[in-house]
Amino acid sequence: MGGRAPWTDVRLRAAWARGDWAAVLREYRRATGLTQQALEPLVGMAQPYISAIESGRRKVKTAAVRARITEGLNVPQELIDAGQSDSYGRWEPSPELRERIAHGHRTGRTDLRTADWIGEVLATQRRAEDEVGGADLWPVVRSQLDAVTRLIPGTSGEAADRLMLLAAEHAHWLSWVAWQNQHRGAALGWLDVAHGWAVDGNHTDMASWVQRVRAFYSRQSGDPVRALRTAEAARHVTGASPAAVAVAAHEAAIAAAAVGERDRARRLSDVAFIDASRVPDEADRPGWLYWLTPTRAQLQAASVAYACRDWRAAAEGIRAALPELEGYPRDRAHFQQRLDDAERRI
């Protein structure tokens, strides 16, 4: 396994981002199936030396050794450009990062192949989150964001707008992980950054999605009235696709149920289901809504039924969709708990 292939691996990229050279060697070998002996010709070091680094008995201190490892393992250029930093472990967006919200400062060309590659890696990481966990993914996604935003000042026009969408996707993901780890101020900060990039790049689906996430945060914080207002704003973003409207309508439905407007919640749930049904193919949805399958649309409708205390409808909907969640242990456990509760209440 050579070239870039191993570098889609989450743990390997995270090890590089935090500058943990012992972990870089270990994770590279795990991702490729290579032995320490097989690594010798790649990095130009004997097996005992590799073993000493991996075990922590030797530190990588010189530029020459770092260069050997970097070149020998074909570290992607965007990771090299982003660098290695302890700051990737911090939760809040830095002032420097915030200041990068801008279109190109000069007309120029940028490496969009690098941007496409980072986008592919982010898609892989989204799917890995359920098993790996957001906190483990954090350092590498944070470093990838630096790689993307440093490309923005060197470009303009459609290329800059495309990079801004990719940056907004990363910032939104960081917001979500920060929220899950109880860093709520940082989560809102990242959401602001994501929204700024989405608006500046004229990406209506991302702007709608960020508003929808903000509504979710408000509801989780005990403010369903604000959540409903924000979700309705997300639903009516001009130019938003059916997929974006569907998830915004679903969030509005849950919030409506929370404030006691059950008829409104049911109407919004129908809107969400119809719009989601218009985009059954993943290629027709924004990348971050890869999960909005017909099964997920059915589960969303069941969730609204549960919120409205329509226990039988909730149980039937969840029961029918539950087998499709085999590859998502966290989600399956959540909906199984909902199903058990609904059946008890029936």
Side-chain angles (χ1 to χ4, degrees), residues 70-193:
T70 301
E71 293 170 12
L73 303 188
N74 291 313
V75 178
Q77 189 62 45
E78 91 279 355
L79 285 183
I80 296 172
D81 291 343
Q84 299 165 313
S85 172
D86 291 339
S87 68
Y88 294 145
R90 299 173 191 163
W91 290 101
E92 295 80 6
S94 65
E96 177 195 1
L97 182 72
R98 289 177 179 274
E99 290 169 4
R100 290 186 204 151
I101 300 180
H103 282 282
H105 297 308
R106 66 179 190 278
T107 300
R109 300 180 64 184
T110 192
D111 185 1
L112 287 180
R113 286 181 300 176
T114 294
D116 289 341
W117 163 249
I118 297 174
E120 291 174 16
V121 172
L122 181 61
T124 301
Q125 290 161 350
R126 288 192 192 104
R127 288 163 170 77
E129 183 188 352
D130 198 60
E131 296 180 6
V132 177
D136 290 338
L137 286 164
W138 179 276
V140 65
V141 176
R142 177 66 184 81
S143 73
Q144 286 169 192
L145 176 57
D146 265 6
V148 173
T149 56
R150 286 170 183 164
L151 291 173
I152 293 174
T155 190
S156 60
E158 292 182 7
D161 290 344
R162 194 164 149 206
L163 289 170
M164 284 186 163
L165 175 60
L166 187 55
E169 288 186 56
H170 279 74
H172 142 258
W173 187 92
L174 292 168
S175 170
W176 181 251
V177 173
W179 184 270
Q180 290 177 318
N181 284 272
Q182 307 301 314
H183 297 278
R184 300 196 167 183
L188 292 170
W190 284 113
L191 212 58
D192 287 342
V193 170

